[in-house]
Amino acid sequence: MKVLRIVANIQAPDLTAAKRFYQDILGLDLMMDLGWIVTFGANTSMKVQLSVASQGGSGTPVPDLSIEVDDLDAAFEAMSGAGIPIEYGPADEPWGVRRFYVRDPFDRLVNILVHKS
């Protein structure tokens, strides 16, 4: 048996807010919309990962989601420009990532990150 996909499910009363945050600001594609559930993604291959943590690193809380981007500065500008409060960072972490934390419209803590090369 192989795990083929891991999907994060977030309960939300307002799917419009999800579309604004995940589609409009972060740029994910709307993959499915059944009216009661929307799925965002990208038509690229991604690694299957599940992280379990006792803390978020650097004294931060454990985020609910981690989203790796190709341009952290652009993601930071998009979040700031949309009026989304930045809860942590941007910070260069000793384990080789640059990241910042925001909360999505449903109060989930989201870790936006890029791996430093």
Side-chain angles (χ1 to χ4, degrees):
M1 192 247 350
K2 289 184 180 180
V3 173
L4 299 178
R5 182 170 62 148
I6 295 172
V7 176
N9 296 301
I10 298 171
Q11 183 177 351
D14 181 6
L15 300 182
T16 302
K19 289 178 182 178
R20 179 177 180 265
F21 186 85
Y22 290 103
Q23 184 178 17
D24 299 343
I25 298 171
L26 278 174
L28 290 172
D29 296 326
L30 181 63
M31 307 296 283
M32 177 182 75
D33 185 346
L34 299 180
W36 57 272
I37 184 173
V38 291
T39 300
F40 304 97
N43 286 322
T44 59
S45 295
M46 296 181 189
K47 295 178 184 175
V48 174
Q49 291 183 278
L50 173 67
S51 296
V52 179
S54 62
Q55 56 123 334
S58 297
T60 65
V62 176
D64 296 298
L65 297 170
S66 291
I67 299 175
E68 184 177 355
V69 297
D70 63 350
D71 186 337
L72 192 79
D73 293 332
F76 183 81
E77 288 177 24
M79 289 292 170
S80 298
I84 307 291
I86 307 301
E87 295 212 359
Y88 174 76
D92 292 309
E93 302 293 6
W95 56 89
V97 301
R98 181 166 172 75
R99 68 182 181 155
F100 65 92
Y101 281 7
V102 295
R103 290 207 178 263
D104 77 0
F106 318 108
D107 205 36
R108 302 291 188 209
L109 189 60
V110 181
N111 174 31
I112 309 290
L113 70 115
V114 66
H115 282 91
K116 296 187 291 186
S117 29

